[in-house]
Amino acid sequence: MFEPLEGIRILDLSRIYASPAGSMILGDLGADVIRIESPEGTDTMRDWWPFVEEQSTYYLTANRNKRSVTINLKSESGKALFLKLVTNADVIMENFKTGTLDRLGLGYEELKKHNPSIILCSVTGYGQTGPYRNEPGYDPVIQAIGGLMEVTGHADGDPTRVGLPVVDIIASLYTSVSILSAILARNKGGAGQHIDISLLDVQISSLANVASSYLMKGFISKRMGNQHNNVVPYQVFQCEDRPMMIAVGNDQQFKKLCNILDRPEWITDEKYKTNAARVEHRDDISEKIQALFREKSADEWFTLLSDQGIPSGPVNNVEQVFQHPQVQAREMVEEIPHPTLGKVKLVRNPIRFSDTSLKIKKHPPLLGEHTLSFLKEELHLEDDELENLRSQGVI
């Protein structure tokens, strides 16, 4: 079956999550992703707990549909090998600190000499320019500097990071979209180009209504716990058995909620009849709703709210997520063979095409698993040449 990115080759020098997850998306779409690390390993994510036997479950989550080749880019022989691979590549991805590729003699200007149409995508904490360009950038630090932590958590508590590497995850999407766009631009007669993705830029772009409220109104959003700065009731309520999120997004939905709660008088009450009024009297209406929600289970409330089209859902732990009937119906978990683990279960790509199936074709590779076969196939190296490179620590 034809795959959207069939014939596109990506040399992926990146590690940890943001850029590798981006190359994984491109691999899911059919690109030939060659993951390149040093012979000793460059990706510390392989060392992150928990493990299945000796394999990090964290590493497994961002590296399906790739091959692994080891090359020591600090050696002259390694650089020469890599530059030969560049001539037949479409994209190079890297997330070293700003300037590292230049110091290795593999910066964009050098790469263009070997392949004028090459696309280089650099993912860094702060980008290629600006006073912070040389600073290391990790997801929780960017959440702090970029304003996300300040609007996450309870009003009387500490600023709180999101429980997932959300900046990395969003950055992976921008990374894959930018590469696809650069390929399209090149195919329309343009040249290759250098893409500069900054985690901080990504975080700023994700501030959404928090940014616009400040830029247009001067309003500085505050931590509201599980409440919403601008909409009420739009929060978690404790039910008889467990918490539940409801999202009453407009006044019509609020009227329906009032009828479900058997409080029709709230519909005409000046303190509650409009969202603006409810925001002003947030604590009052929230306390009244909370008292009622404790009378039924989350599943009972979900049935009542769902029947009236009010968005809601119990707060699930990860086990409950994968037992959820909708998650199972959408077949979001795929089990694939693995050379040392027998089989592994991975979350599949969420994209659904009508005529193209995005299956997991390759397990997350072991370090250097494809080095010999790939270099034989691509550069036609003989066994004695490969053994010589291996003995010198080049591969």
Side-chain angles (χ1 to χ4, degrees), residues 89-100:
D90 295 282
V91 179
I92 297 170
M93 299 175 65
E94 62 97 6
N95 62 350
F96 300 121
K97 286 179 65 175
T98 299
T100 298

Side-chain angles (χ1 to χ4, degrees), residues 34-335:
I34 311 300
R35 180 182 170 83
I36 296 177
E37 294 182 66
S38 77
E40 293 79 28
T42 339
D43 197 341
T44 55
M45 195 160 71
R46 292 180 185 274
D47 303 324
W48 291 1
W49 183 89
F51 298 92
V52 180
E53 295 183 12
E54 295 181 354
Q55 296 295 313
S56 164
T57 58
Y58 212 130
Y59 167 80
L60 294 173
T61 196
N63 289 288
R64 63 175 181 255
N65 288 332
K66 303 177 186 180
R67 293 188 280 175
S68 174
V69 173
T70 54
I71 300 177
N72 181 1
L73 297 179
K74 294 180 180 180
S75 71
E76 291 304 316
S77 297
K79 281 189 279 190
L81 277 180
F82 179 72
L83 289 172
K84 287 180 182 178
L85 298 179
V86 169
T87 60
N88 290 322
D90 295 282
V91 179
I92 297 170
M93 299 175 65
E94 62 97 6
N95 62 350
F96 300 121
K97 286 179 65 175
T98 299
T100 298
L101 275 191
D102 288 319
R103 288 191 292 274
L104 289 171
L106 297 172
Y108 181 55
E109 294 304 317
E110 180 64 27
L111 296 173
K112 284 198 301 182
K113 294 176 185 177
H114 297 266
N115 184 345
S117 64
I118 196 69
I119 295 165
L120 173 63
C121 181
S122 297
V123 181
T124 57
Y126 299 94
Q128 302 295 305
T129 60
Y132 276 51
R133 65 186 179 276
N134 294 318
E135 292 291 324
Y138 274 64
D139 183 284
V141 176
I142 300 299
Q143 287 193 39
I145 291 179
L148 179 56
M149 283 178 62
E150 180 57 25
V151 295
T152 306
H154 290 279
D156 57 353
D158 293 332
T160 305
R161 76 171 182 88
V162 178
L164 294 167
V166 64
V167 182
D168 282 351
I169 292 168
I170 300 171
S172 74
L173 302 176
Y174 277 108
T175 295
S176 56
V177 169
S178 67
I179 289 171
L180 291 173
S181 301
I183 292 172
L184 282 173
R186 187 185 63 186
N187 291 349
K188 290 181 178 180
Q193 52 189 310
H194 188 186
I195 301 168
D196 175 10
I197 300 289
S198 154
L199 295 184
L200 182 60
D201 293 353
V202 166
Q203 170 50 38
I204 300 304
S205 75
S206 75
L207 286 174
N209 59 294
V210 170
S212 62
S213 295
Y214 169 70
L215 293 173
M216 300 179 200
K217 184 71 175 176
F219 176 75
I220 298 177
S221 298
K222 300 178 177 62
R223 292 192 298 283
M224 301 289 295
N226 293 313
Q227 297 182 334
H228 195 291
N229 269 279
N230 313 106
V231 187
V232 175
Y234 204 102
Q235 64 199 80
V236 168
F237 291 103
Q238 181 62 47
C239 302
E240 184 181 51
D241 56 344
R242 56 177 170 152
M244 180 173 195
M245 181 74 198
I246 71 167
V248 178
N250 56 56
D251 293 338
Q252 286 303 115
Q253 289 181 351
F254 181 71
K255 291 178 183 178
K256 293 178 180 179
L257 176 66
C258 293
N259 289 325
I260 292 170
L261 297 175
D262 195 25
R263 295 294 186 274
E265 66 273 16
W266 291 353
I267 296 174
T268 55
D269 192 316
E270 292 297 327
K271 294 191 297 181
Y272 310 139
K273 63 186 297 186
T274 67
N275 180 66
R278 292 193 296 276
V279 169
E280 186 177 350
H281 299 91
R282 175 192 303 275
D283 292 343
D284 180 32
I285 188 64
S286 295
E287 288 174 9
K288 291 178 178 177
I289 294 173
Q290 176 58 86
L292 297 171
F293 261 74
R294 289 187 182 276
E295 297 175 0
K296 292 181 173 64
S297 72
D299 288 339
E300 289 177 293
W301 282 120
F302 174 74
T303 298
L304 292 169
L305 295 166
S306 178
D307 285 346
Q308 294 300 312
I310 298 176
S312 66
V315 177
N316 290 329
N317 63 31
V318 69
E319 181 179 25
Q320 292 166 327
V321 168
F322 286 109
Q323 291 175 348
H324 195 285
Q326 182 66 15
V327 176
Q328 294 184 349
R330 296 289 287 177
E331 299 180 333
M332 281 302 298
V333 176
E334 191 170 343
E335 189 172 52

